Amino acid sequence: MTTPTETTRYERGLAKLAEVDGNAGQRVVDNLGDLGRYIVEFAFGDIYSRPGLSLREREIATVAILTALGGREPQLRVHMEAALNVGISLQELEEIILQTVPYAGFPTAINATNVLTRLKSEMPSQV
Amino acid sequence: MTTPTETTRYERGLAKLAEVDGNAGQRVVDNLGDLGRYIVEFAFGDIYSRPGLSLREREIATVAILTALGGREPQLRVHMEAALNVGISLQELEEIILQTVPYAGFPTAINATNVLTRLKSEMPSQV
Amino acid sequence: MTTPTETTRYERGLAKLAEVDGNAGQRVVDNLGDLGRYIVEFAFGDIYSRPGLSLREREIATVAILTALGGREPQLRVHMEAALNVGISLQELEEIILQTVPYAGFPTAINATNVLTRLKSEMPSQV
Amino acid sequence: MTTPTETTRYERGLAKLAEVDGNAGQRVVDNLGDLGRYIVEFAFGDIYSRPGLSLREREIATVAILTALGGREPQLRVHMEAALNVGISLQELEEIILQTVPYAGFPTAINATNVLTRLKSEMPSQV
Amino acid sequence: MTTPTETTRYERGLAKLAEVDGNAGQRVVDNLGDLGRYIVEFAFGDIYSRPGLSLREREIATVAILTALGGREPQLRVHMEAALNVGISLQELEEIILQTVPYAGFPTAINATNVLTRLKSEMPSQV
Amino acid sequence: MTTPTETTRYERGLAKLAEVDGNAGQRVVDNLGDLGRYIVEFAFGDIYSRPGLSLREREIATVAILTALGGREPQLRVHMEAALNVGISLQELEEIILQTVPYAGFPTAINATNVLTRLKSEMPSQV
């Protein structure tokens, strides 16, 4: 097992965060103090940086989880933007939301659809 | 919009269930009465039968959701077998579980890992 | 088992939705695309259309579930209106909320009470 | 507001518990110490003793909540027995479980159905 | 076991609520009807009035629970104020939020941090 | 910010895990692969190693969270043992469980009490 320094983990996490979320990611961890640092180091420097699943597949899992758990709409918005950023289409986001219905029911899927609708309405030119 | 009869939905669902779960699927809905019928018709005949995401991607979402929600271990077991059936490897199942940690914490990931470990131990020859 | 066409399920669902929710129901599924269609077909065309429980009893269950799960306030609002529509009184809605407390605690009951209070304040003449 | 003594609340709760659960109820609170006392006093002496909903309606709400939340199978078993005790039929219990599906998905409904199936198999003569 | 009258429980609860929450507490139960009465009697008159844990320790547990469950932000705000009131510092509130991360993930911790940030910004003279 | 190497985090985490859980902790992460490594590094090397709350206070938060979330009984068992190990008494564990009731209801508190009862029955000499 390699033993990168903490700085390496943080830097690797920041780079992965930028790759996944674009500009939105940095905004998410700003002003969160040590919580933001752990998101960079652990969520992005450790987990998202692992091989074994593509970023596209990781975001499919993440959007599905955040939709199904409910009450995590701000994070769902961030990860929908991340999903678009790693090559998931708006239509595929709709499919991921539909895939949650048999496992978590309609209400959280409706809330996620409303997040997606708002996101679409704020995008420059997309239909 | 095409308007298949209910029988078509049920048959399409059964075929999709067999494609996704192999033999395990049929066992899951046996003895569940109308609940089992709706699983076949709605979960498999409607949702899983949609284009737009591959079966592999749908199972990534499903395993992630069932892990993160917790308390759904019997269904997680079924969908881990389904995941293997549609081309997800044991190592990729581990990755999906790890991907849930930043969003749902360690306890549900530990429970899912224990389900996976038991599944592995019951498989004929796999490592 | 009868085998109505999909169109029949959708139409049956729309009629049931109108019976349960009045005008509010149609608003809920508008703009939801295929998700809205499945709500009409499966939630209302299949489940709500079953005999075996009265609409009043189905709404008691639904309001209780949505209260207890938390984070589903928009759907709770819709189903409180539906509950009133199928003969549940404002006072009975309060009772349903109180019934959730031993099973899900006070916070979700407080949130549901706030939804109910807002609903009351927006009703034409009721106290 | 009347001001019964604590003893009154406890006694009222015990009587209501016996009315709702039969013998099973007493078993549930035995060995739970002060937690059991609060269940008697608050859940049964306060909430279940309120007018405004019938016991049948309260149990519909409770079985629906316990099914939808998941991970509360022992309590679900107790309240299914309570439901039978206050006049809800086995078939109506199936309906309540089905009513949770649009709001909480299939996995918790499957788990509840398995609890119900076990309960049926342990009943003296019922189908 | 002593048997105080209901009035005693209510009064004991009100006194404890004032001790825990200061003025905020009264605001929380106002306008909640019988639900507010049970919060005073049961949550504060029974549970918070027990010896065995300090108020500081009870609020650590409460803030941790409300953060981890998610979707209970209004109650989290009230209990963060209560926590400050019983001697927990702003920095300790941050630590409690961080302690939830391994057990419930980052999203609910981010939401709690945002509640805390808003609370800080509304305080008169901040540390 | 200091920048310890990964090895340092892992070693610090192992030492903290031993301090918190005694022998039970090592058993928990054994056989969990990379998931176990992250539990050591992040949960114990990062979070539990922070100053700002005592280990006693961190375990109060953890036992409260695991009780309230439900469906995490194996982890609850481990953390009840950890709690005893850092100076929380059996009676205080009962108080923590009672403190969850107003926020998460009785069913998860009953399940936690059953975990505690089993733990007591397996202890060498304690009542």
Side-chain angles (χ1 to χ4, degrees):
Chain A
M1 196 196 320
T2 59
T3 63
T5 62
E6 290 280 322
T7 301
T8 303
R9 279 177 78 233
Y10 189 78
E11 283 167 3
R12 186 178 58 202
L14 268 190
K16 187 56 73 175
L17 182 61
E19 184 184 348
V20 173
D21 280 344
N23 303 327
Q26 186 60 44
R27 276 207 317 276
V28 169
V29 296
D30 275 356
N31 307 313
L32 290 178
D34 282 357
L35 179 63
R37 180 163 65 84
Y38 292 131
I39 292 172
V40 171
E41 286 177 1
F42 179 61
F44 289 91
D46 285 349
I47 302 297
Y48 269 90
S49 294
R50 294 174 62 89
L53 285 177
S54 65
L55 286 183
R56 175 188 164 86
E57 289 170 332
R58 290 190 185 276
E59 283 303 330
I60 288 172
T62 299
V63 169
I65 293 168
L66 292 173
T67 297
L69 288 173
R72 283 131 177 99
E73 282 77 12
Q75 291 77 38
L76 187 53
R77 164 71 188 241
V78 170
H79 281 281
M80 283 179 173
E81 296 189 67
L84 294 173
N85 204 47
V86 299
I88 294 172
S89 70
L90 288 167
Q91 210 160 354
E92 286 170 330
L93 281 174
E94 275 187 58
E95 283 302 320
I96 299 168
I97 294 171
L98 286 170
Q99 182 67 18
T100 70
V101 173
Y103 305 104
F106 288 108
T108 47
I110 296 173
N111 290 340
T113 300
N114 290 335
V115 172
L116 182 58
T117 300
R118 214 168 313 124
L119 169 59
K120 280 186 206 172
S121 75
E122 293 168 22
M123 287 171 69
S125 63
Q126 238 118 342
V127 174
Chain B
M1 196 196 323
T2 60
T3 62
T5 63
E6 290 279 322
T7 302
T8 303
R9 280 176 78 233
Y10 189 78
E11 284 167 2
R12 186 177 59 201
L14 268 190
K16 187 58 71 176
L17 182 61
E19 185 184 348
V20 173
D21 280 345
N23 302 326
Q26 186 61 45
R27 273 206 321 275
V28 170
V29 296
D30 274 356
N31 307 315
L32 289 179
D34 282 358
L35 180 64
R37 179 163 66 83
Y38 293 130
I39 292 172
V40 171
E41 286 177 1
F42 178 62
F44 290 92
D46 285 348
I47 303 295
Y48 269 91
S49 294
R50 294 174 62 89
L53 286 177
S54 67
L55 286 182
R56 175 188 164 85
E57 289 170 332
R58 290 190 185 277
E59 283 303 331
I60 287 173
T62 299
V63 169
I65 293 168
L66 293 173
T67 297
L69 288 173
R72 281 129 177 102
E73 282 77 13
Q75 291 76 40
L76 188 54
R77 165 70 187 242
V78 170
H79 280 281
M80 283 179 173
E81 296 189 67
L84 294 172
N85 204 48
V86 299
I88 293 171
S89 70
L90 288 167
Q91 210 159 353
E92 287 171 328
L93 281 174
E94 275 186 60
E95 283 302 321
I96 299 168
I97 294 171
L98 286 169
Q99 181 68 18
T100 70
V101 174
Y103 305 103
F106 288 109
T108 48
I110 295 173
N111 289 341
T113 300
N114 290 335
V115 173
L116 182 59
T117 300
R118 216 168 312 123
L119 169 59
K120 281 186 205 170
S121 76
E122 293 168 21
M123 287 170 70
S125 63
Q126 240 118 340
V127 173
Chain C
M1 194 198 322
T2 59
T3 61
T5 61
E6 290 279 321
T7 301
T8 303
R9 281 176 79 233
Y10 189 78
E11 283 167 3
R12 187 177 60 202
L14 267 190
K16 188 57 73 176
L17 181 62
E19 185 184 348
V20 173
D21 280 344
N23 303 327
Q26 186 61 45
R27 273 207 319 275
V28 169
V29 296
D30 274 356
N31 308 315
L32 289 179
D34 282 357
L35 179 64
R37 179 164 66 84
Y38 292 131
I39 292 172
V40 172
E41 287 176 1
F42 178 61
F44 290 91
D46 285 348
I47 302 296
Y48 269 90
S49 294
R50 294 174 62 90
L53 286 177
S54 65
L55 286 182
R56 175 188 163 86
E57 290 170 332
R58 290 190 186 276
E59 283 303 330
I60 288 173
T62 299
V63 169
I65 293 168
L66 292 174
T67 297
L69 288 174
R72 281 130 177 101
E73 282 77 12
Q75 291 77 40
L76 188 53
R77 163 71 187 240
V78 170
H79 280 281
M80 284 180 172
E81 296 188 70
L84 294 172
N85 203 48
V86 299
I88 294 171
S89 70
L90 288 167
Q91 210 159 353
E92 287 170 329
L93 281 174
E94 274 187 60
E95 283 302 321
I96 299 167
I97 294 171
L98 286 169
Q99 181 68 18
T100 70
V101 174
Y103 305 104
F106 288 109
T108 47
I110 295 173
N111 289 340
T113 301
N114 289 336
V115 172
L116 182 58
T117 301
R118 216 167 313 125
L119 169 60
K120 280 186 205 173
S121 76
E122 293 168 20
M123 288 170 70
S125 64
Q126 239 119 340
V127 173
Chain D
M1 194 196 322
T2 61
T3 62
T5 62
E6 290 280 321
T7 302
T8 304
R9 280 176 78 233
Y10 189 79
E11 283 166 3
R12 186 178 59 201
L14 267 190
K16 187 57 72 175
L17 182 61
E19 185 185 349
V20 173
D21 280 344
N23 303 326
Q26 186 61 45
R27 273 207 319 275
V28 169
V29 296
D30 274 356
N31 307 315
L32 289 179
D34 282 357
L35 180 63
R37 180 163 66 82
Y38 293 130
I39 292 171
V40 171
E41 287 176 1
F42 179 62
F44 290 92
D46 285 348
I47 303 295
Y48 270 90
S49 294
R50 295 173 62 89
L53 286 177
S54 66
L55 286 183
R56 174 189 166 87
E57 290 170 331
R58 291 190 185 275
E59 283 303 331
I60 288 172
T62 299
V63 169
I65 293 168
L66 292 174
T67 297
L69 288 174
R72 282 128 176 103
E73 283 77 11
Q75 291 77 39
L76 188 54
R77 166 68 188 241
V78 170
H79 281 281
M80 283 180 173
E81 296 189 67
L84 294 172
N85 204 48
V86 299
I88 294 172
S89 69
L90 288 168
Q91 210 160 353
E92 287 171 328
L93 281 174
E94 275 186 59
E95 283 302 321
I96 299 168
I97 294 171
L98 286 169
Q99 181 67 19
T100 70
V101 174
Y103 305 104
F106 289 108
T108 48
I110 296 173
N111 290 340
T113 299
N114 290 336
V115 173
L116 182 59
T117 301
R118 216 168 311 123
L119 169 58
K120 282 185 203 173
S121 75
E122 294 167 21
M123 288 171 70
S125 64
Q126 239 118 341
V127 173
Chain E
M1 194 196 324
T2 60
T3 61
T5 62
E6 290 279 322
T7 302
T8 304
R9 280 176 78 234
Y10 189 79
E11 284 167 2
R12 186 178 60 202
L14 268 190
K16 187 57 71 177
L17 181 62
E19 185 185 348
V20 173
D21 280 344
N23 302 327
Q26 187 61 44
R27 273 207 320 275
V28 169
V29 296
D30 274 358
N31 307 314
L32 289 179
D34 282 358
L35 179 64
R37 180 163 65 82
Y38 292 131
I39 292 172
V40 172
E41 287 176 2
F42 179 61
F44 289 91
D46 285 348
I47 303 296
Y48 269 91
S49 294
R50 295 176 61 89
L53 286 178
S54 66
L55 286 183
R56 174 188 165 87
E57 289 169 332
R58 290 190 186 276
E59 283 303 329
I60 288 173
T62 299
V63 169
I65 292 168
L66 292 174
T67 297
L69 288 173
R72 282 130 177 99
E73 282 77 12
Q75 291 77 40
L76 187 54
R77 164 70 188 240
V78 170
H79 280 281
M80 283 180 173
E81 296 188 67
L84 294 172
N85 204 48
V86 299
I88 294 172
S89 70
L90 288 168
Q91 210 160 354
E92 286 171 329
L93 281 174
E94 275 186 59
E95 283 302 321
I96 299 168
I97 294 171
L98 286 169
Q99 181 67 19
T100 70
V101 174
Y103 305 104
F106 288 109
T108 47
I110 295 173
N111 289 340
T113 300
N114 290 335
V115 172
L116 182 57
T117 301
R118 215 167 312 123
L119 170 59
K120 280 186 204 172
S121 75
E122 294 167 20
M123 287 171 71
S125 66
Q126 235 109 354
V127 172
Chain F
M1 193 197 323
T2 60
T3 61
T5 62
E6 290 279 321
T7 302
T8 303
R9 280 175 78 232
Y10 189 78
E11 283 167 3
R12 186 177 61 201
L14 268 190
K16 187 58 70 176
L17 182 62
E19 185 184 348
V20 174
D21 280 345
N23 303 325
Q26 185 61 44
R27 273 207 319 276
V28 169
V29 295
D30 275 356
N31 308 314
L32 288 179
D34 282 358
L35 180 64
R37 180 163 66 82
Y38 292 130
I39 293 171
V40 172
E41 287 176 359
F42 178 62
F44 290 91
D46 285 348
I47 302 295
Y48 269 90
S49 293
R50 294 174 62 90
L53 286 176
S54 66
L55 286 183
R56 175 189 165 84
E57 289 170 332
R58 291 189 184 277
E59 283 302 331
I60 288 173
T62 299
V63 169
I65 293 168
L66 292 173
T67 297
L69 287 175
R72 282 129 176 101
E73 283 77 11
Q75 291 76 40
L76 187 54
R77 165 70 187 242
V78 170
H79 281 281
M80 283 180 172
E81 296 188 69
L84 294 172
N85 203 48
V86 300
I88 293 171
S89 70
L90 288 167
Q91 211 160 352
E92 286 171 329
L93 281 174
E94 275 186 60
E95 283 302 321
I96 299 168
I97 293 171
L98 287 170
Q99 181 68 17
T100 71
V101 174
Y103 305 104
F106 288 109
T108 48
I110 295 173
N111 289 341
T113 300
N114 289 336
V115 172
L116 182 58
T117 300
R118 216 167 312 123
L119 169 59
K120 281 186 204 172
S121 76
E122 293 168 20
M123 287 170 70
S125 64
Q126 239 117 339
V127 172

